[in-house]
Amino acid sequence: RFQFAAGGVNSSVVLYEDAVIAIHGKENIDDTGRGRMVAIRYNGSTDPEIKGSTVLNSSAELWRNDDLSMFTSSPVIVGDNVYQVTVKGELVCVDARTGQTRWHKKLGADQLHASPVHADGKLYIPMWHDGLFIVRPTNDGAEILDQVQLEGRCLGSPSIWNGRVYVHTTKKLYCFGGDRVGANQPAMPIHKAASTPQSGKLMPVPAEFL
């Protein structure tokens, strides 16, 4: 456990080498700012003052970026780059080793929930008000290849399968694909039911973070 926000952390984390990279949009616990991205060494030193729990102390923090803030949209990592959409509607590229911002690109007025997805060298980014962006990122900047205004608001991340990109909004489910969709795709395997099915229960803790 590593405490770095006064509220909940709702964005998923990404792993880079021996670190966990996380972001939040609540109040920081050590200053008056709101929002921060950090890299945490998960094999760092623990706090001996707190018994019964593995609590990492401040020495576990590898770097921090106080210019970034997000409530629920999660980052995506490609190579040594972390791509994050901020609450202000900016796509930001962060150096995963140092935490320094490489560049930022304004996409929309704001962002709420949807996370970017990386495939085929591009980022597919649904925005809250501004539809779907297809962006080609590099170390030096980002090229917007296309923007599609969709009916409804984008809350969820895209799903990509077999050359198709699926995006759902508050109004519709969209599917985008090219000419080679479905080519040489093997048949889906048939899953047989267990011979002695048993009921079970899975309880993630904490319940709001999976």
Side-chain angles (χ1 to χ4, degrees), residues 63-112:
W63 55 256
R64 63 173 60 181
N65 189 322
D66 286 322
D67 296 329
L68 306 180
S69 179
M70 174 45 69
F71 297 109
T72 54
S73 182
S74 300
V76 60
I77 189 164
V78 182
D80 296 326
N81 293 329
V82 181
Y83 300 108
Q84 176 72 60
V85 183
T86 69
V87 293
K88 297 180 179 179
E90 287 189 320
L91 172 64
V92 180
C93 176
V94 177
D95 187 327
R97 293 186 181 276
T98 66
Q100 297 297 312
T101 299
R102 294 186 188 271
W103 50 260
H104 52 88
K105 182 78 170 180
K106 186 73 171 179
L107 298 182
D110 54 8
Q111 180 66 314
L112 192 58

Side-chain angles (χ1 to χ4, degrees), residues 130-142:
D130 303 280
L132 175 68
F133 283 83
I134 302 174
V135 178
R136 178 180 289 122
T138 67
N139 284 342
D140 302 318

Side-chain angles (χ1 to χ4, degrees), residues 60 114 181:
V181 168

Side-chain angles (χ1 to χ4, degrees), residues 108-135:
D110 54 8
Q111 180 66 314
L112 192 58
H113 298 303
S115 305
V117 171
H118 183 270
D120 193 29
K122 296 179 282 290
L123 291 169
Y124 298 85
I125 311 170
M127 298 294 290
W128 172 232
H129 292 98
D130 303 280
L132 175 68
F133 283 83
I134 302 174
V135 178

